[in-house]
């Protein structure tokens, strides 16, 4: 039997009693408003060569067992088997496609054609397993805010899962038509979708406020409910994301594209910072990653942070063609801040209080030094569209708008540094999810077509089969037409739960 060191989880905001992985997954957010972080980042116990002989499920087990140490082998393997099955339209789960010298890690082959499926396919199973492990009798209410993709992926994951209900808030005019259609057509008696009159940050702040309302939590407990989260703030979302970076490296090794120990760069289009934080964790587990390249759209709060050491959300919120990145409060950055402050909860709490109050904070020179593995840049709307057209004309490969931001930033990185390290770009959504923006980037003549006509056109153009997720919504009836003001979110929750 392999001897794995137990990993416990602390809050980023206080030095309270650490909790187990299953307890952290169940709670989602710490009672003090902090995020759960591992007390140490475990080292990989298998070499890249050993991992290169494994399929996706096997790699996922080798990574997750190191973080989720209170789950048995049987429990964890059961969760993985249920998650990574026929709902993915490729057998390899996360294929790597080489285009113009970069390797695009396609994370969008799940049931909702976005990278969120990679973690949200397994989270319901981790959550139910964790509830059993901790003798939880309450019904678990998943409360989440979405900038477009998390919502549908969470709804699809939790729909019909016994012992759970899921409530998703999204910005009514801040997601793509296809993203909205995917959410409002979601079936399942335990699902509830609400469009708020505000932006994603308003939705996320509203959800956090409900989470930290202790009186409301007691009221719900008396009625047999308790909250948990499907947002990337849940450690059960973050850990599965580490797996695909390890898998990508192992596949490059298997295909002879790199030699064992050779470093790679990783580029991630970034909004809430969870996906790139997972790459940071992979690097700290011993995966040979050189640079973590953080790509922003015109909401370039992270770009400014990496350049100046000051995080400042006091700026205009821009609605872009890459809506899942239209975020000014990158929640998962808090985990990185905690780590670079030397796992100092007091320091992190002070900075987060400043963010909550003045809307900004500045890190110390010593903390900035800890960010040397990161490079940040951004792509404008024009640059995003140009990159889609450029890559399509160069080799026929079609990117969605988010992946295009990453690809454009990668080209800026090369121009700035001359670094020719082999690079994996996280391809976070299918171009079919953002057909109008993608097709307009290739040729303005497409603008006269409807969104679903564009789907057929894109399929022919890219020589790619239309994903099942898109075919499903062509004729699906709208099930959810609820809307509310930001200050009515709690009432919407009460209404759905009947309390």
């Amino acid at each position: 039997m392999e001897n794995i060191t137990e990993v416990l989880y602390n809050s980023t905001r206080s030095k309270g009693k650490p909790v187990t992985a299953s307890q952290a997954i169940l709670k989602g957010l710490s009672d003090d408003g902090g995020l759960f972080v591992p007390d140490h980042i475990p080292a990989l116990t298998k070499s890249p060569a050993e991992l290169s002989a494994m399929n996706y499920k096997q790699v996922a087990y080798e990574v997750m067992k190191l973080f989720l140490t209170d789950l048995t082998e049987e429990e964890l393997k059961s969760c993985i088997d249920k998650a990574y099955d026929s709902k993915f339209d490729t057998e390899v789960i996360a294929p790597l496609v080489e285009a113009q010298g970069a390797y695009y890690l396609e994370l969008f082959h799940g049931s909702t054609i976005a990278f969120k499926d990679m973690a949200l396919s397994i989270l319901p199973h981790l959550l139910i397993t964790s509830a059993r492990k901790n003798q939880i009798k309450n019904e678990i209410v998943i409360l989440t805010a979405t900038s477009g993709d998390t919502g549908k992926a969470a709804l699809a994951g939790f729909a019909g899962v016994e012992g759970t209900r899921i409530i998703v808030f999204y910005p009514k005019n801040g997601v793509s038509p296809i993203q909205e259609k995917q959410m409002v057509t979601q079936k399942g008696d335990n699902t509830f979708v609400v469009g708020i009159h505000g932006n994603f940050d308003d939705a996320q702040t509203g959800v956090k406020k409900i989470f930290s309302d202790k009186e409301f939590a007691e009221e719900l407990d008396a009625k047999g409910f308790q909250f948990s989260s499907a947002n990337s703030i849940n450690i059960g979302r973050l850990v599965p994301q580490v797996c695909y970076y390890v898998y990508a490296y192992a596949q490059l090794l298997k295909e002879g594209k790199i030699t064992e120990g050779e470093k790679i760069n990783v580029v991630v289009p970034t909004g809430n910072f969870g996906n790139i934080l997972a790459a940071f964790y992979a690097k700290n587990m011993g995966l040979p990653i050189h640079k973590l390249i953080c790509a922003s759209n015109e909401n370039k709060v992270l770009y400014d942070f990496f350049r100046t050491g000051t995080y400042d959300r006091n700026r205009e919120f821009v609605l872009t063609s890459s809506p899942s990145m239209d975020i000014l409060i990158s929640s998962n950055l808090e985990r990185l801040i905690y780590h670079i402050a030397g796992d100092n909860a007091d320091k992190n709490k002070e900075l987060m209080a400043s963010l909550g109050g003045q809307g900004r904070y500045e890190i110390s020179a010593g903390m900035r030094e800890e960010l040397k593995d990161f490079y940040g840049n951004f792509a404008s709307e024009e640059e995003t569209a140009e990159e889609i057209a450029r890559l399509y004309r160069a080799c026929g490969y079609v990117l969605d708008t988010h992946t295009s931001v990453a690809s454009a930033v990668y080209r800026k990185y090369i121009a700035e540094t001359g670094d020719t390290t082999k690079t994996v770009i996280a391809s976070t959504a299918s171009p079919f999810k953002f057909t109008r923006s993608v097709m307009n980037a290739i040729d303005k003549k497409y603008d006269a077509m409807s969104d679903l006509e564009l789907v057929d056109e894109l399929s022919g153009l890219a020589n790619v089969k239309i994903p099942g997720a898109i075919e499903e919504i062509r004729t699906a009836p709208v099930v959810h037409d609820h809307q509310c003001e930001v200050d009515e979110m709690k009432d919407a929750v009460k209404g759905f739960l009947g309390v």
Side-chain angles (χ1 to χ4, degrees):
M1 180 72 185
E2 196 176 353
N3 189 18
I4 295 173
T5 308
E6 184 181 25
V7 174
L8 294 172
Y9 290 82
N10 296 308
S11 167
T12 52
R13 298 193 189 181
S14 69
K15 295 191 188 80
K17 186 173 177 249
V19 299
T20 63
S22 64
Q23 289 167 337
I25 289 167
L26 266 176
K27 288 178 77 67
L29 200 64
S30 173
D31 291 336
D32 55 24
L35 309 189
F36 287 113
V37 281
D39 60 2
H40 67 281
I41 295 175
L44 288 166
T45 54
K46 293 279 191 289
S47 69
E50 289 172 294
L51 294 165
S52 71
M54 298 180 187
N55 64 25
Y56 191 84
K57 287 185 184 184
Q58 292 165 328
V59 171
Y61 174 70
E62 291 301 328
V63 173
M64 284 196 252
K65 73 178 183 184
L66 303 174
F67 283 100
L68 310 179
T69 52
D70 67 326
L71 268 60
T72 66
E73 179 177 350
E74 186 186 358
E75 285 169 338
L76 186 51
K77 283 185 173 173
S78 171
C79 290
I80 289 168
D81 282 338
K82 287 172 184 163
Y84 303 113
D85 58 8
S86 59
K87 68 173 102 30
F88 286 83
D89 63 20
T90 59
E91 206 174 310
V92 294
I93 308 296
L96 271 172
V97 176
E98 188 173 358
Q100 282 236 298
Y103 298 92
Y104 291 84
L105 178 62
E106 292 187 346
L107 301 171
F108 54 75
H109 289 280
S111 55
T112 72
I113 57 175
F115 83 101
K116 310 289 170 79
D117 288 324
M118 299 297 293
L120 282 165
S121 294
I122 194 168
L123 182 61
H125 305 295
L126 292 174
L127 201 59
I128 294 302
T129 303
S130 297
R132 284 196 208 107
K133 211 167 198 58
N134 291 277
Q135 287 84 48
I136 297 298
K137 299 285 185 279
N138 281 347
E139 199 167 348
I140 294 164
V141 181
I142 302 300
L143 189 62
T144 199
T146 185
S147 55
D149 288 336
T150 288
K152 173 58 184 178
L155 288 162
F158 282 94
V161 173
E162 206 174 318
T164 69
R165 297 203 198 182
I166 177 162
I167 303 168
V168 170
F169 291 101
Y170 74 97
K172 178 69 185 116
N173 298 309
V175 299
S176 82
I178 284 176
Q179 283 177 316
E180 182 170 51
K181 189 92 191 279
Q182 281 188 301
M183 286 190 280
V184 298
T185 57
Q186 176 65 53
K187 298 188 190 104
D189 291 342
N190 66 332
T191 66
F192 188 57
V193 180
V194 186
I196 66 147
H197 302 144
N199 61 37
F200 170 72
D201 287 330
D202 296 325
Q204 184 165 252
T205 302
V207 163
K208 283 183 172 177
K209 197 171 165 187
I210 294 170
F211 264 114
S212 60
D213 187 333
K214 290 193 170 45
E215 279 178 30
F216 191 30
E218 283 167 18
E219 188 182 339
L220 289 181
D221 185 49
K223 302 278 187 183
F225 298 111
Q226 71 184 66
F227 285 133
S228 190
S229 166
N231 273 63
S232 58
I233 54 176
N234 192 314
I235 201 73
R237 268 281 302 276
L238 186 61
V239 169
Q241 292 181 278
V242 179
C243 303
Y244 46 73
Y245 295 110
V246 176
Y247 177 76
Y249 188 91
Q251 287 305 295
L252 288 176
L253 185 60
K254 181 183 181 178
E255 292 165 17
K257 308 291 188 188
I258 56 173
T259 56
E260 185 157 17
E262 183 179 344
K263 290 195 170 184
I264 62 167
N265 289 331
V266 173
V267 190
V268 188
T270 309
N272 221 9
F273 208 76
N275 203 4
I276 194 164
L277 184 73
F280 171 80
Y281 275 24
K283 178 180 169 75
N284 282 274
M285 292 181 85
L287 197 70
I289 294 175
H290 172 51
K291 275 288 180 204
L292 296 157
I293 299 169
C294 178
S296 302
N297 65 15
E298 286 186 4
N299 291 291
K300 54 190 179 69
V301 65
L302 288 165
Y303 163 74
D304 291 338
F305 170 70
F306 283 116
R307 291 290 158 120
T308 65
T310 298
Y311 191 97
D312 191 345
R313 66 175 172 84
N314 300 309
R315 62 185 68 207
E316 187 189 349
F317 184 93
V318 186
L319 288 172
T320 73
S321 60
S322 47
S324 299
M325 298 157 66
D326 290 348
I327 292 171
L328 294 181
I329 305 172
S330 302
S331 284
N332 265 291
L333 185 64
E334 177 169 347
R335 285 187 166 110
L336 181 67
I337 296 298
Y338 173 84
H339 290 309
I340 65 173
D343 292 357
N344 185 330
D346 292 337
K347 179 63 180 170
N348 175 70
K349 186 180 179 182
E350 177 194 314
L351 293 172
M352 293 309 124
S354 180
L355 180 66
Q358 291 90 51
R360 65 192 297 279
Y361 62 80
E362 188 174 350
I363 62 172
S364 67
M367 289 170 74
R368 281 194 73 181
E369 182 58 27
E370 294 292 321
L371 295 176
K372 59 183 181 299
D373 293 340
F374 287 88
Y375 166 90
N377 215 320
F378 77 101
S380 67
E381 283 291 88
E382 190 181 356
E383 288 167 334
T384 302
E386 280 171 3
E387 183 65 5
I388 292 170
R390 185 196 71 77
L391 200 63
Y392 171 68
R393 290 185 191 120
C395 62
Y397 188 58
V398 181
L399 303 174
D400 93 289
T401 44
H402 303 72
T403 310
S404 177
V405 167
S407 195
V409 164
Y410 174 53
R411 282 160 48 75
K412 288 184 179 184
Y413 171 77
I414 294 172
E416 201 175 298
T417 64
D419 181 10
T420 57
T421 300
K422 293 187 181 85
T423 297
V424 168
I425 296 176
S427 185
T428 52
S430 165
F432 286 96
K433 204 151 192 171
F434 304 94
T435 45
R436 185 163 302 282
S437 297
V438 168
M439 296 300 277
N440 271 347
I442 290 168
D443 195 322
K444 289 278 189 277
K445 72 179 183 187
Y446 294 116
D447 203 34
M449 294 183 181
S450 74
D451 282 288
L452 289 172
E453 283 173 330
L454 288 171
V455 164
D456 296 317
E457 199 70 25
L458 174 57
S459 176
L461 199 74
N463 196 24
V464 175
K465 189 179 171 226
I466 298 168
I470 298 293
E471 292 289 13
E472 276 172 23
I473 63 170
R474 283 184 191 266
T475 54
V478 170
V479 182
H480 307 276
D481 58 358
H482 310 280
Q483 294 181 36
C484 76
E485 301 301 326
V486 176
D487 60 5
E488 296 167 346
M489 288 169 64
K490 183 173 163 183
D491 292 332
V493 171
K494 283 182 160 185
F496 174 58
L497 297 179
V499 297

